[in-house]
Amino acid sequence: MNPNPVDLHCHSRHSDGVLSVSELIKHAAAQQIQMLALTDHDTLAGIDEAQTLARGHEMLLIRGVEMSATWGSHTVHVLGLDIDLHTPELRRILADIQDLRGKRAEDIASKLERCGIADAMQHTVVEAGHSEITRTHFARMLVHQGHCKDLTQAFKRYLGQQGKRAYVKTQWPAMQTVIAAIHAANGQAVLAHPMSYKISSRQRRALVEEFAELGGNGIEVSAGGAQNPQNIKLAADLAREFGLCASQGSDLHDPIQRWLRFGRLMPIPEDLAPIWTQFRYQRAAA
Ligand code: AMP
Ligand code: MN
Ligand code: MN
Ligand code: MN
């Protein structure tokens, strides 16, 4: 038995994960995950297939998405969990974000070309296939073309943040707009990986406060990329202070990133309400 069989954040090849949907579901089943949310960046493309395949493993597939949003001058990620797929408001905003991603990709490629990286866009399109183009695809291209030794170096040198050689600032929809679209789709809005943003602790508190004021439902308390007792405590304190539910997710992109494996999450503190108590199948049972 997996002691912690819930994972509400992961990526497939429809965004920047390396596994196809079917490989991802198989991988999750092998780790004895019982409830899985597929949360690709700004696309719902993999959900129908994931849902069909999960049934064959008696796994509950939660329909999800990880949306890019702007808070002040910062990019933040908001998960929409337990969403309806056919809500026009949500689909419209996702289409807008996909357009922004396409335009940003062209700008990133131009900057890389100016750094002497030939055919940056063509090579990156090959990396991305039919998926949304993310910075991860640019990073993989830089590694595969021999410009960087690994993804970390690619982000550090070129892509990571304002000031890097190929960083392009993008005005994603406002956090408020994204939360409203998730609510229009009857979903739960969850602030992803709150401890991973490069902001001060005072700003982090202001971010979570505003997220709650805007009607946000929960924050990731146990988040794969930033798993340690200190971060869990700080995020749990913020959830308590602002009356938010707690979520947990590995943010799995690639199963070789062993620290982000499915089902290896530290549990969320017991006094916090898990976000999945708000999912519709739970509410119907209550
Ligand atoms: P994007 O949404 O296109 O701006 O790309 C953001 C994605 O890049 C994140 O979801 C991560 O998967 C990845 N990423 C960001 N920073 C790093 C990093 N330092 N190393 C590896 N991957 C990163
Ligand atoms: Mn990603
Ligand atoms: Mn994210
Ligand atoms: Mn993610």
Side-chain angles (χ1 to χ4, degrees), residues 10 19 32 42 50 93 103 120 127 143 151 187 192 200:
C10 67
L19 299 181
Q32 296 165 306
D42 305 310
I93 286 175
K103 292 193 188 95
E127 294 287 340
V143 174
L151 295 187
S200 67

Side-chain angles (χ1 to χ4, degrees), residues 11 16 41 136 253:
H11 298 273
D16 58 353
H41 293 287
T136 310
H253 286 72

Side-chain angles (χ1 to χ4, degrees), residues 106-123:
E106 298 288 349
D107 295 344
I108 293 175
S110 308
K111 287 196 166 187
L112 286 172
E113 298 258 353
R114 267 178 259 143
C115 298
I117 289 154
D119 300 326
M121 194 66 197
Q122 289 88 323
H123 289 309

